Amino acid sequence: MATLLDGRRLAAAIEERLNAVITDGLAVAGRPPGLAVLRVGDDPASGVYVANKEKACRRVGIHSHGGHLAADTPAEEVLALIGRLNADPTVDGILLQLPLPQGLDEGPLLAAIDPDKDADGLHTLNLGRLLKGERGPRSCTPAGVMALLRTAAVPIAGARAVVVGRSILVGKPMALMLQAADATVTMAHSRTHHLAEVTQEAEILVVAAGRPRLIGAQHVRPGAVVVDVGIHRLEGRLCGDVNYETVEPLAAAITPVPGGVGPMTVAMLLVNTVLAWCERHGLDTGALSDLRP
């Protein structure tokens, strides 16, 4: 059987470490870290995600500055709220929950967030920092994948990695992080010709295509490490972009859905917030250095 890359367990361990860092730093900082999760509209999935993030903040000692705006809120009002959060000295991280309601363009809103408070690592400046190998907040989902791989002692340097998916949220930053760790990376997607021929070359296969059960046994090299970023509800059950039942017997290690990458995305959001808080108050971040992709 494949080794299970357990995101829930690792996320819980990271939360314990964050709580210790916060406890140790409170005397100097004079306040806990602050994270503002800004939700616009009433998308049910977004509501669940935001609630999970707020619970995680409470567990580690981060103060949650919630913001829930109506779906018909004009962009100017959203921008004004982002401006107030940028100026608020008690806020270390800001996250704009996606997707946004129709009529709101995420680009200008994400660009308005102070890059040093960009808890989701999606600001253009922070994506540029990632490209150049400079320090800055990292995109949470791919950063969580890197933490899973490193904790499981998966050899990355020199490995052939294939990333299926090209979104700015996961696929592109994932490829950059793997390259920075000295993997040889190929990017593919759902329209790649002869996709199975490409993915069968992967020693590390990360799938973030947004297509349920796109990847089956015919796509996977025996002994590969398979990371499934997707999550979908089909026939009343949750599944990923990988057909787990057919791929698991072939893989050396694999993430479950749910319980794999999802908890790590939330954990890395907390990491970005605590790192920003530490740096704002001159606190040592060495205890979290292994969580920087």
Side-chain angles (χ1 to χ4, degrees):
M1 292 179 63
T3 298
L4 199 67
L5 300 176
D6 190 334
R8 285 197 181 104
R9 178 177 296 180
L10 179 55
I14 289 172
E15 287 184 7
E16 288 184 8
R17 292 170 60 187
L18 292 174
N19 181 260
V21 169
I22 292 169
T23 300
D24 290 345
L26 276 175
V28 173
R31 64 168 181 86
L35 172 64
V37 178
L38 180 55
R39 178 186 172 204
V40 186
D42 296 302
D43 178 75
S46 291
V48 172
Y49 297 149
V50 169
N52 287 340
K53 290 165 185 174
E54 290 174 346
K55 290 176 184 176
C57 284
R58 288 195 292 271
R59 287 196 297 269
V60 303
I62 293 174
H63 180 64
S64 181
H65 300 254
H68 185 189
L69 303 177
D72 59 355
T73 302
E76 293 75 16
E77 288 188 27
V78 184
L79 285 168
L81 177 54
I82 291 172
R84 292 195 293 273
L85 294 172
N86 284 339
D88 188 336
T90 68
V91 174
D92 302 287
I94 302 170
L95 179 143
L96 179 64
Q97 182 66 45
L98 303 177
L100 295 174
Q102 285 189 346
L104 281 180
D105 182 359
E106 66 185 53
L109 299 179
L110 291 172
I113 296 172
D114 179 343
D116 291 330
K117 293 189 176 186
D118 172 29
D120 221 12
L122 295 180
H123 192 284
T124 301
L125 177 60
N126 288 324
L127 292 169
R129 286 168 167 166
L130 171 61
L131 179 64
K132 294 184 69 177
E134 297 176 356
R135 177 174 287 192
R138 296 298 191 236
S139 303
C140 296
T141 298
V145 172
M146 295 301 293
L148 273 172
L149 295 176
R150 287 179 170 141
T151 300
V154 173
I156 301 174
R160 285 173 287 183
V162 174
V163 178
V164 183
R166 51 187 169 175
S167 73
I168 203 66
L169 186 65
V170 181
K172 290 176 181 176
M174 185 79 257
L176 290 171
M177 290 182 196
L178 287 165
Q179 285 178 331
D182 296 322
T184 300
V185 182
T186 299
M187 288 195 69
H189 46 83
S190 59
R191 297 187 181 181
T192 296
H193 293 307
H194 310 296
L195 178 61
E197 294 181 11
V198 177
T199 57
Q200 284 172 358
E201 293 295 315
E203 295 166 285
I204 300 171
L205 178 60
V206 182
V207 190
R211 297 269 302 272
R213 297 176 180 155
L214 173 69
I215 299 299
Q218 72 275 21
H219 295 88
V220 176
R221 168 183 180 157
V225 174
V226 180
V227 178
D228 189 351
V229 178
I231 187 163
H232 315 274
R233 185 172 292 277
L234 284 180
E235 302 168 355
R237 295 179 56 199
L238 292 177
C239 69
D241 288 358
V242 173
N243 188 328
Y244 184 91
E245 289 75 16
T246 63
V247 169
E248 188 272 341
L250 292 172
I254 190 169
T255 56
V257 175
V261 175
M264 291 303 301
T265 298
V266 177
M268 299 313 293
L269 172 69
L270 305 182
V271 168
N272 281 342
T273 301
V274 173
L275 285 172
W277 174 74
C278 288
E279 289 166 0
R280 188 161 288 114
H281 294 283
L283 301 171
D284 183 17
T285 61
L288 303 175
S289 59
D290 62 307
L291 296 176
R292 292 183 184 271

